[in-house]
């Protein structure tokens, strides 16, 4: 570990100590101001561990796909035992992290959380894993059907950013709905770091969801996406305003993101803001900017780029217009 330690009897020794003391005092003042504004009696030591949540996701991925993501190489007769061992470890760690999260929220709760609430959330979550696997399967199959470059479902599951983000989201969405929003948000941010796809755990997404390429996709908390929807890179399903109605000085949460119907295709760079409705089977072209509803079966595109003749292009470039 790098340490700041001036040589003994160095003329700068006192100056170094003074600089360190001043930095510590400054940080203490800023830290105290932050705590006065934000801590509100919360037990910040209870905040869930990012590293622990990352381990949980790895274990759950092995539970969902023991051979492809869990690297199980034994006979088929032993696969359930492998899944059981990974699941027991994952759920034990998950219960601990959810317990930490509830401890963090306790000062804001009107009553004390039940002692068995973390265990209850974990039991309910475990019951969703079959549905989580089913939905991820549909997402992988959708990618394989829609992308001519996909050679197999295994390639999609292991390599495609959209499938990786989908697996994380399907897990995170269940935990968010069951009352563990911080753990869920950590899971979504792990996917964001890995893929560049930012899906809020609260977003509701139907089956057969495919994000092609994926980098820069943003899907907000209250977005609702139907079945068999395909998005391309840099699509934003966002809000027009970050702020909802204010009651008693508190900003209320509200539905502020788009609703996308079934069988919709949204091409690269499209931005859709607000609680607008995109009708079934609509197609939105690249770079469109939408603030209003789109009818079913509609096709919305930007004007096509203008082709300049060679002389016009040279003149435009010469004038700095292109």
């Amino acid at each position: 570990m790098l340490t700041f330690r001036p040589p003994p009897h160095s003329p700068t020794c006192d100056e170094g100590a003074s600089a360190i003391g001043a930095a510590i005092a400054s940080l203490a003042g800023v830290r105290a101001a932050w705590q006065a504004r934000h801590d509100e009696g919360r037990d910040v030591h209870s905040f869930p561990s990012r590293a622990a949540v990352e381990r949980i996701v790895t274990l759950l991925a092995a539970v969902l796909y023991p051979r492809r993501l869990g690297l199980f190489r034994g006979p088929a007769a032993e696969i359930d035992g492998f899944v059981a061992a990974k699941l027991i470890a994952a759920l034990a760690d998950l219960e601990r992290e959810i317990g930490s999260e509830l401890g963090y929220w306790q000062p804001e709760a009107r009553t004390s959380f039940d002692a068995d609430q973390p265990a209850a959330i974990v039991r309910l979550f475990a019951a969703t894993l079959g549905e989580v696997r089913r939905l991820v399967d549909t997402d992988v199959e959708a990618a394989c059907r829609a992308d001519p470059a996909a050679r197999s479902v295994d390639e999609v599951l292991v390599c495609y950013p959209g499938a990786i983000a989908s697996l994380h989201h399907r897990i995170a969405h269940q935990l968010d709905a069951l009352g563990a929003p911080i753990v869920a948000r950590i899971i979504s941010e792990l996917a964001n770091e890995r893929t560049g796809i930012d899906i809020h755990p609260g977003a509701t997404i139907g089956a057969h969801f495919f994000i092609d390429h994926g980098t820069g996709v943003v899907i907000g908390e209250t977005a609702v996406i139907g079945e068999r929807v395909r998005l391309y890179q840099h699509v934003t399903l966002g809000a027009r305003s970050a702020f909802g109605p204010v009651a008693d000085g508190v900003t209320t949460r509200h539905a502020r993101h788009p609703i996308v119907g079934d069988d919709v295709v949204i091409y690269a760079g499209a931005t859709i803001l607000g609680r607008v409705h995109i009708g079934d089977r609509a197609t939105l072209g690249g770079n469109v900017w939408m603030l209003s509803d789109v009818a079913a079966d509609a096709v919305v595109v930007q004007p096509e780029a203008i082709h300049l003749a060679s002389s016009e292009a040279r003149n435009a470039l010469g004038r700095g217009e292109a």
Side-chain angles (χ1 to χ4, degrees), residues 27-110:
L27 288 168
V30 175
R31 189 168 62 247
W34 173 268
Q35 291 167 347
R37 294 196 307 272
H38 295 290
D39 280 0
E40 301 173 355
R42 290 194 187 103
D43 179 8
V44 295
H45 300 293
S46 288
F47 200 86
S49 162
R50 183 185 182 282
V53 173
E54 190 167 10
R55 290 194 299 272
I56 290 165
V57 172
T58 299
L59 289 167
L60 290 173
V63 167
L64 294 170
Y65 294 93
R67 291 194 184 276
R68 283 175 281 178
L69 300 182
L71 303 180
F72 175 74
R73 295 294 181 264
E78 297 177 6
I79 197 165
D80 285 345
F82 173 87
V83 169
K86 296 291 186 181
L87 183 58
I88 290 168
L91 297 183
D93 288 350
L94 182 60
E95 182 176 341
R96 184 184 63 249
E97 296 309 311
I98 291 174
S100 293
E101 175 169 348
L102 295 181
Y104 177 79
W105 291 124
Q106 185 59 70
E108 297 183 15
R110 295 181 179 178

Side-chain angles (χ1 to χ4, degrees), residues 145-201:
R145 285 195 301 270
D147 185 2
R151 293 171 176 83
S152 73
V153 290
D154 297 325
E155 178 191 13
V156 170
L157 177 66
V158 174
C159 303
Y160 274 43
I164 294 166
S166 170
L167 186 148
H168 282 72
H169 176 73
R170 301 299 188 184
I171 293 170
H173 182 70
Q174 298 295 341
L175 290 169
D176 184 74
L178 289 169
I182 292 178
V183 171
R185 190 57 184 264
I186 292 172
I187 293 172
S188 73
E189 292 310 315
L190 290 170
N192 189 4
E193 289 179 9
R194 185 173 173 185
T195 66
I197 298 170
D198 183 0
I199 309 176
H200 192 286

Side-chain angles (χ1 to χ4, degrees), residues 248-316:
D248 299 325
V250 177
T251 302
T252 59
R253 307 180 75 80
H254 65 296
R256 59 199 185 278
H257 299 98
I259 298 174
V260 179
D262 296 337
D263 301 294
V264 171
V265 179
I266 306 176
Y267 283 95
T271 299
I272 308 166
L273 301 181
R275 196 63 165 180
V276 301
H277 292 241
I278 309 300
D280 294 347
R281 301 173 301 281
T283 299
L284 276 64
N287 298 317
V288 299
W289 175 272
M290 293 302 307
L291 302 176
S292 56
D293 293 351
V294 175
D297 299 299
V299 177
V300 181
V301 297
Q302 290 273 35
E304 188 175 0
I306 298 172
H307 291 257
L308 297 177
S310 297
S311 58
E312 293 175 314
R314 283 195 298 271
N315 290 337

Side-chain angles (χ1 to χ4, degrees), residues 1-21:
M1 183 178 67
L2 182 65
T3 58
F4 182 82
R5 185 179 302 163
H9 309 300
S10 165
T12 63
C13 186
D14 292 340
E15 294 175 4
S18 176
I20 290 174

